[in-house]
Amino acid sequence: MRRKIVAGNWKMNKTFQEADELINEIIEGLEDANHKGVDVVLCPPFTFMEMTTDYAQESEYAVGAQNVSSFDSGAYTGEVSAKMLHSMGVEYCIIGHSERRKYFNETDEQLTQKAELLLKYNILPIFCCGELLPEREAANHFEVVKSQIENTIFKLEPLDFAKVIIAYEPVWAIGTGVTATSDQAQEMHVFIRNLISEKYGKEIAKNTSILYGGSCNAINAKELFANPDVDGGLIGGASLIAIDFLKIIESF
Ligand code: 13P
């Protein structure tokens, strides 16, 4: 059966002290929260990775990175490799986030390389896809998401693909307070699951976790997660506030 996952993408937020405080609030909350059956993942900036993996040893969350190099190792100043992340106990890594596609010009080819390297080092990719507002308005959203997936993670062998987590994040919903409706999320998730089924077969499709991201918060999470094909959330802003993040985790 596919897993339910709530992952917090902190993006470029928090100081070291603030991150320490947030993690401790989440750890305390997780001790009381009813999060049975939900895998919780924290994705801090690299600078707080060591602290987050250290605390994780005593707590019930796993750690994810927000990015990884498309190179394996060597003279790539400023980059962080999958091997390094693995050596620190990082278990997940977000790739293909729309902010990285937009501001850092990430290409499909680089994303495919990143996915392959992560899998080589036993890190589960959380692959983001999603359309821009004009693309939805032009009723192109299915085509856009299809090509984002086909040009990257569909290049993986079935056994590798089976480890990928997908996050549908409509770009117009990210950080805007405008969330996709429950129907819009479910419709796209079913579309993605059908694509997987056609490419890799029913069993892999059934077992792939597809998360929703984009202005998901403590109020709307319950309705979004109630959809049969929404297997959790990739949370931005609301993951920076412990009580909100914990409420989202409890929304299943
Ligand atoms: P928000 O939850 O802030 O809209 O961000 C979503 C996101 O981009 C998670 O990766």
Side-chain angles (χ1 to χ4, degrees):
M1 236 354 241
R2 58 184 179 259
R3 292 180 301 134
K4 292 174 180 168
I5 300 168
V6 174
N9 175 8
W10 294 5
K11 307 191 180 182
M12 195 173 71
N13 290 295
K14 303 285 181 191
T15 61
F16 186 84
Q17 290 75 16
E18 289 165 350
D20 194 332
E21 205 173 304
L22 176 58
I23 296 170
N24 277 291
E25 286 169 0
I26 292 171
I27 290 174
E28 220 171 282
L30 284 177
E31 281 165 10
D32 304 331
N34 177 11
H35 61 95
K36 282 192 189 62
V38 182
D39 292 341
V40 177
V41 184
L42 302 187
C43 304
F46 288 132
T47 39
F48 313 144
M49 201 56 91
E50 188 173 355
M51 166 168 61
T52 314
T53 51
D54 278 353
Y55 279 132
Q57 293 180 13
E58 307 295 324
S59 185
E60 298 165 40
Y61 66 82
V63 182
Q66 297 174 19
N67 185 29
V68 66
S69 178
S70 56
F71 298 103
D72 203 340
S73 71
Y76 301 102
T77 303
E79 291 288 274
V80 173
S81 73
K83 190 176 185 179
M84 293 173 188
L85 295 175
H86 174 68
S87 71
M88 298 194 67
V90 172
E91 295 177 66
Y92 297 82
C93 182
I94 299 168
I95 55 169
H97 195 284
S98 60
E99 288 150 15
R100 295 214 56 88
R101 293 179 196 260
K102 178 178 173 189
Y103 300 118
F104 305 98
N105 303 315
E106 282 194 350
T107 63
D108 288 340
E109 196 185 0
Q110 287 169 324
L111 293 178
T112 309
Q113 287 161 349
K114 289 181 182 204
E116 284 168 351
L117 283 169
L118 289 170
L119 291 162
K120 175 175 168 189
Y121 292 104
N122 284 323
I123 297 173
L124 307 180
I126 302 177
F127 174 82
C128 302
C129 55
E131 80 285 357
L132 303 166
L133 185 58
E135 292 166 339
R136 178 163 279 266
E137 285 172 344
N140 262 341
H141 45 298
F142 292 118
E143 274 313 304
V144 169
V145 168
K146 184 176 179 204
S147 72
Q148 287 172 338
I149 290 175
E150 282 183 346
N151 294 333
T152 53
I153 46 174
F154 272 11
K155 308 245 183 244
L156 298 171
E157 297 299 322
L159 280 178
D160 279 338
F161 178 85
K163 296 175 191 145
V164 174
I165 294 146
I166 295 180
Y168 169 56
E169 298 207 313
V171 181
W172 46 271
I174 296 177
T176 57
V178 182
T179 188
T181 65
S182 179
D183 288 348
Q184 285 171 328
Q186 169 65 12
E187 181 184 45
M188 182 59 87
H189 286 221
V190 169
F191 174 77
I192 294 170
R193 206 176 297 286
N194 286 339
L195 288 178
I196 301 169
S197 185
E198 282 162 28
K199 168 85 181 167
Y200 292 107
K202 275 202 180 106
E203 197 58 24
I204 288 182
K206 195 180 80 185
N207 289 322
T208 301
S209 296
I210 307 177
L211 316 183
Y212 169 80
S215 296
C216 180
N217 59 37
I219 295 161
N220 59 32
K222 210 176 187 72
E223 194 184 337
L224 286 160
F225 295 172
N227 287 297
D229 287 279
V230 177
D231 307 310
L234 181 55
I235 318 298
S239 73
L240 299 170
I241 303 158
I243 48 166
D244 287 1
F245 188 57
L246 291 160
K247 268 195 203 142
I248 294 172
I249 295 164
E250 288 190 337
S251 298
F252 273 106

